[in-house]
Structure formats: structure tokens, C-alpha cells
């Protein structure tokens, strides 16, 4: 069974702390994603990685960075946490486009609910 | 650019009634369309997807969706709602080379006994 795991389900951090959110997938997927989910705003893409050491900014990258040193692991880093980064963070992975140009679905982890006080 | 609009942030139906969740997309090229479901305190999981070919797509748990190019719609339906269908539903579209998806804001489905 395919699986995306996230290091913590719940996390409480203080303003100004450096925060690491870890995501691991066991499906050998090239693509990995970090989203932020807030009520009424749906899912907003923070960063996207399409290969090891490759990354691309999403819609809301400010205040975040990412690291992908191994194919199966994609880390989201909050350099200096702020209260407006209190949110649910979702990691996902997918295969790249197929030979006919088709897109594959994304597989999601259970999420990390981060509270910054 | 691609975008998705889900009409109605909250939908309430009685158990056994028809479920209809609306999704309209905007895309300048043929889209790939997805519906995902999120149960409380869980991540999203795929319900169904439209790629090419048959416009009526069947998914898990009795859900189906019809791709209508002329209306740029991909509405999700289920003939008879069950209490276990209560969840948040997201429509998504993929058209870019990178394989990223754009998600709608979500629709919360409530099922009344």
C-alpha cells in the first residue's frame, strides 16, 4: 500500500523558532509537494520538487524553504516561525507526466497541524 | 493559467438523497481533472479522475463525475448519500508541464440522518 508519512501530527512552536517538517514517501515518486491548508482557502502550494535537489516556488513561498537531498524525503523549513504560519501542512507526492503527457494523481500524508504561539 | 471554482462551500443533504457538488475549471488546454476527499484529521485521497476518453468517470464509494467541455464543468454526484460521506471534497485541475495541480477551495458535505 502506498504511503506518505509526516514526522508529526501536531506541533507547537514559539515565534522566532526554526521549524522543520519532514515528509517521506515510499513510492519512488519524482514529484513532491508541500501545501498549506486554511479554512475557506483550500490548498495553497508552498513549494514543489520534481527531482532530488530540484525545487520550484509555489504560490506562497515567503517565509518557507525546502530541502530534498534524497528522493524519498522532502523537508519544509520555517526559518523563523510566525503566528501567521499557524496552519495545517500537507505533503504529497506523485509520479511525473506519463509518456502520453498525462498527469497522475497526488498521494497525501495525514498532515501536520502546526501552532505558533 | 488554470483555475478551479467550487460552487458552495457547504452542502447539506439528507441520508439517501442525491449528492451534487459543483466544480468549474478554467484552462486554455485540455485539462486533467480530479476529485479528492478529506475525512476529518486526515490527508486527501483520490475519489476519481478524468484524463481523456470517456467523459463519465466512476470513482470509489459510488461517486461519479461528468466532464462537460462546453460548460467547463466537472460536477461530482452520488445517487444516495450515506452518513459516511460527510467530509470535505476538493476539485483539482492539472495542465502544467510540472504536474502541479490547482485546487478549489473545497466543499464541506454534511449528511443529515
Amino acid at each position: 500500500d502506498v504511503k506518505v508519512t509526516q514526522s508529526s501530527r501536531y506541533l507547537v512552536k514559539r515565534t522566532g523558532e526554526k521549524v522543520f517538517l519532514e515528509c517521506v514517501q515510499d513510492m519512488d515518486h519524482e514529484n513532491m509537494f508541500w501545501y498549506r491548508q486554511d479554512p475557506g482557502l483550500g490548498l495553497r502550494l508552498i513549494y514543489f520538487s520534481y527531482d532530488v535537489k530540484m525545487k520550484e516556488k509555489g504560490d506562497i513561498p515567503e517565509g518557507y524553504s525546502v530541502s530534498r537531498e534524497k528522493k524519498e524525503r522532502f523537508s519544509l523549513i520555517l526559518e523563523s516561525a510566525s503566528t501567521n504560519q499557524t496552519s495545517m501542512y500537507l505533503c504529497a507526492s506523485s509520479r511525473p507526466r506519463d509518456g502520453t503527457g498525462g498527469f497522475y494523481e497526488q498521494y497525501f500524508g495525514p498532515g501536520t497541524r502546526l501552532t505558533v504561539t | 493559467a488554470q483555475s478551479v471554482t467550487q460552487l458552495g462551500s457547504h452542502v447539506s443533504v439528507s441520508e439517501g438523497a442525491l449528492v451534487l457538488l459543483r466544480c468549474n475549471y478554467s484552462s486554455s488546454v485540455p485539462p486533467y481533472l480530479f476529485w479528492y476527499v478529506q475525512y476529518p484529521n486526515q490527508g486527501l485521497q483520490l475519489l476519481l479522475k478524468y484524463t481523456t476518453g470517456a467523459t463519465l468517470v466512476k470513482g470509489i464509494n459510488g461517486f461519479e463525475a461528468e466532464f462537460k467541455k462546453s460548460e467547463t464543468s466537472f460536477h461530482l454526484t452520488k445517487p444516495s448519500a450515506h452518513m459516511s460521506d460527510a467530509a470535505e471534497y476538493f476539485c483539482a485541475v492539472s495542465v502544467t508541464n510540472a504536474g502541479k495541480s490547482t485546487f478549489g477551495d473545497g466543499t464541506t458535505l454534511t449528511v443529515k440522518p
Side-chain angles (χ1 to χ4, degrees):
Chain A
D1 198 16
V2 296
K3 206 161 188 180
V4 178
T5 57
Q6 295 183 230
S7 51
S8 304
R9 292 300 304 272
Y10 299 93
L11 207 53
V12 180
K13 295 292 182 180
R14 294 194 180 274
T15 301
E17 279 193 83
K18 190 169 186 175
V19 181
F20 293 86
L21 302 183
E22 305 285 340
C23 175
V24 178
Q25 51 97 0
D26 64 0
M27 296 164 281
D28 202 35
H29 285 168
E30 283 79 1
N31 294 344
M32 295 190 75
F33 310 82
W34 274 106
Y35 294 93
R36 171 175 173 159
Q37 183 180 17
D38 299 289
L41 297 178
L43 272 68
R44 293 180 290 169
L45 182 65
I46 305 172
Y47 267 98
F48 161 61
S49 170
Y50 51 92
D51 202 350
V52 175
K53 297 190 185 295
M54 307 302 287
K55 62 185 179 184
E56 190 174 302
K57 290 181 180 179
D59 302 317
I60 52 164
E62 296 78 19
Y64 303 95
S65 62
V66 291
S67 173
R68 192 162 180 206
E69 297 296 321
K70 292 185 177 182
K71 190 175 185 180
E72 67 271 17
R73 187 179 299 269
F74 192 34
S75 302
L76 179 69
I77 303 156
L78 286 65
E79 297 291 342
S80 177
S82 64
T83 55
N84 63 13
Q85 292 178 310
T86 292
S87 187
M88 170 70 87
Y89 290 88
L90 292 169
C91 175
S93 71
S94 77
R95 295 163 67 181
R97 296 185 77 167
D98 65 22
T100 64
F103 294 100
Y104 292 98
E105 65 271 24
Q106 295 181 22
Y107 293 84
F108 285 82
T112 295
R113 188 167 293 282
L114 173 67
T115 302
V116 183
T117 62
Chain B
Q2 61 199 41
S3 66
V4 173
T5 301
Q6 290 184 239
L7 299 174
S9 58
H10 291 86
V11 170
S12 181
V13 301
S14 297
E15 192 173 19
L18 171 73
V19 175
L20 171 61
L21 305 182
R22 300 177 187 274
C23 172
N24 287 90
Y25 69 91
S26 173
S27 172
S28 58
V29 298
Y32 281 64
L33 295 158
F34 306 84
W35 274 102
Y36 292 86
V37 61
Q38 185 181 32
Y39 298 105
N41 297 315
Q42 295 185 26
L44 281 69
Q45 64 184 80
L46 182 72
L47 265 181
L48 50 80
K49 63 181 177 181
Y50 168 77
T51 54
T52 57
T55 56
L56 183 63
V57 181
K58 294 187 183 298
I60 61 172
N61 301 337
F63 284 93
E64 62 182 36
E66 186 171 10
F67 171 64
K68 292 187 176 180
K69 185 178 178 181
S70 61
E71 298 177 8
T72 61
S73 69
F74 190 57
H75 301 331
L76 182 70
T77 61
K78 182 174 180 178
S80 177
H82 191 273
M83 297 296 290
S84 61
D85 294 327
E88 190 161 19
Y89 293 80
F90 292 91
C91 182
V93 60
S94 291
V95 294
T96 65
N97 286 330
K100 294 180 288 186
S101 289
T102 297
F103 288 80
D105 291 344
T107 297
T108 300
L109 176 66
T110 301
V111 182
K112 299 175 292 186

